[in-house]
Amino acid sequence: MTDLAQQGSRDMTMAHPKSRYQSAEFSARLRARYAAEQRFRVYGIAAVSIAAIMLVVLLASIVSKGYTAFWQNEIRLTVTLDAAELDPQGTRDPKVLAQGNYMKLIRDALAARFPEVTSRTDKRQLGEILSNGAPFVLQKMVMADPALIGKSVPVWFLASDDVDQLEKGYIDRKLPEAQRRVNDLQIKALDGLRQDGSLRAGFNTTLFTAGDSREPEQAGIWGAIVGSFLTLVVTMGLSVPIGIAAAVYMEEFAPKNRWTDLIEVNINNLAAVPSIIYGLLGLAVFLNFFGMPRSAPVVGGVVLALMTLPVIIIASRVALKAVPPSIREAALGVGASPLQAVMHHVLPLAMPGILTGTIIGMARALGETAPLLMIGMIAFIVDIPNSFTSSATVLPVQIFMWSDSPERAFTERTSAAIMVLLGFLIVMNGLAVYLRKKFERRW
């Protein structure tokens, strides 16, 4: 029986030879392929993890340096609004009130609060705990309510940037006096103010309501935000209709020949041109040739529109291509003209993709700095722009300028401005994702 079984097995092996997929060589290749796929997955996870860690480190660094800029220290003084210094004639004329000696009133208030300080040098150092803008605060208050003249009123003034940094812990009190920007006399005065509740830290409204300033405690980003808004309005007004119209023509009506192929290749190449090149173009054409105003949102908007156009055209063409040909054929089949088929059926269905590309293009324009530096939007602008031709700057350029300032207080304001800019970019990209998800059509 045993011989018969072995003979039967040999016969079966000869009748059904082992498949190549069961060979040892194939098994080895299969194991190597699985190992390569596993390594590729590990490499991908490692790359994503490293990128996520770097992003977290970057955000943590920005937030840790910038969150303190959202509050500002203030000092309260009781100021006697002496009529002899502000309005000797009692006319209450705004021009007379604007020329009042407000600085002397503040010095008198400090002298009354700290009578032990008698020398001229100490009085001058004591006055440095207040911001240089303190007289303007008093002036604005008096001009808003002239009835205050002759009364003693408590007024909260911004502390100087050195005092603000000391209270936030960026200046070490334990250092020798010669190594500190705040001397012992000023620290003693601040301790006295804190004890009677005349030193407080509040939300820094100046950061969101003021324009740029040489003094960190008076510097704000409102002027840059308004400048960015005006610039983006010009950019959107030019790039969106022109970009969508160009995409519709290229995708739906343009003949397919070498000229349209050449234009298409150039549009794709323009999307990869460094943004500084557009700045040089704006400098040469719009400023030097056409004589348009420097540092104006209208020029910045035109330059950014040129930079954004290729992005919008490419995104719009992709969205138009995604609409099934059956939509066009059905519209033409019921008698619609090609223009009616595109405007009434194809374009509305492609609009979610077009809007997504447009918002992403606008987000890129909002964060651009290099082309705007070339057309003079790096100028020091204190006033809030009120028109498209006013001198203005934009938020990325404001960040660039603050980052180059030597004062320590500008470091935290730079990080705070970056946080605000990131917030705008996150909102715009989130809006693009929302529109795509809400109006996306699957065929």
Side-chain angles (χ1 to χ4, degrees), residues 40 134 239 266 296 314 363 372 389 404 418 420:
F40 181 77
S239 62
N266 279 282
I314 293 172
L372 303 178
T389 56
D404 200 35
I418 292 174
V420 174

Side-chain angles (χ1 to χ4, degrees), residues 29-92:
R29 289 204 304 269
L30 192 61
R31 287 195 297 274
R33 191 181 70 182
Y34 286 158
E37 292 178 354
Q38 187 65 27
R39 287 197 299 274
F40 181 77
R41 181 177 299 177
V42 171
Y43 294 155
I45 294 175
V48 172
S49 300
I50 292 173
I53 292 173
M54 296 302 293
L55 179 62
V56 170
V57 171
L58 174 64
L59 293 177
S61 173
I62 293 173
V63 173
S64 63
K65 293 179 181 177
Y67 76 96
T68 53
F70 293 107
W71 73 78
Q72 173 73 35
N73 285 282
E74 297 175 316
I75 295 173
R76 182 181 61 189
L77 291 177
T78 301
V79 181
T80 301
L81 302 174
D82 189 356
E85 301 292 342
L86 303 179
D87 187 15
Q89 305 298 327
T91 59
R92 301 299 187 261

Side-chain angles (χ1 to χ4, degrees), residues 245-263:
V248 169
Y249 176 77
M250 293 289 295
E251 193 61 34
E252 301 292 336
F253 300 103
K256 303 301 180 184
N257 53 39
R258 66 179 65 182
W259 293 109
T260 54
D261 291 342
L262 180 63
I263 292 173

Side-chain angles (χ1 to χ4, degrees), residues 188-228:
K188 183 179 178 181
L190 293 172
D191 291 340
L193 290 169
R194 187 182 304 103
Q195 287 178 358
D196 62 13
S198 297
L199 178 62
R200 72 178 183 184
F203 183 70
N204 189 1
T205 56
T206 304
L207 182 65
F208 296 96
T209 58
D212 198 6
S213 173
R214 299 293 186 194
E215 305 297 331
E217 72 277 6
Q218 301 177 45
I221 59 175
W222 180 241
I225 290 176
V226 174
S228 293

Side-chain angles (χ1 to χ4, degrees), residues 3-15:
D3 294 339
L4 290 175
Q6 292 176 350
Q7 181 64 34
S9 176
R10 286 196 294 270
D11 293 343
M12 289 289 292
T13 301
M14 294 178 63

